[in-house]
Amino acid sequence: MNWEYKTMKLQATGLIGGKLDETKLDCMMNELGAQGWELVAGFDTNKGYGETRDVVIIFKRQKD
């Protein structure tokens, strides 16, 4: 079985970071899910002192 992967980086907002628009994120993930993508991982990148700079999410789907 062969897989293809998609990595997306979302910028966190807010004074000290760490905030994402959950509605936009849900919409984006539902669109990708409809295209056959499955979320396999998500993590944040630390800017320092607990501040989040970006959130990275990784999807996979079976390659044709």
Side-chain angles (χ1 to χ4, degrees):
M1 186 175 300
N2 292 318
W3 301 99
E4 65 179 320
Y5 296 90
K6 178 184 289 284
T7 302
M8 303 183 83
K9 183 168 54 172
L10 309 170
Q11 187 174 17
T13 61
L15 182 60
I16 59 170
K19 297 182 191 281
L20 289 175
D21 184 331
E22 294 171 12
T23 303
K24 277 186 176 180
L25 180 59
D26 286 346
C27 183
M28 182 194 66
M29 289 195 303
N30 285 326
E31 287 177 18
L32 288 168
Q35 296 171 22
W37 292 100
E38 176 184 5
L39 178 68
V40 294
F43 56 90
D44 66 330
T45 60
N46 191 302
K47 184 176 179 180
Y49 302 102
E51 295 179 45
T52 298
R53 180 185 332 217
D54 299 307
V55 174
V56 178
I57 51 178
I58 302 169
F59 297 86
K60 75 174 184 179
R61 71 177 174 187
Q62 192 170 350
K63 199 171 187 179
D64 295 330

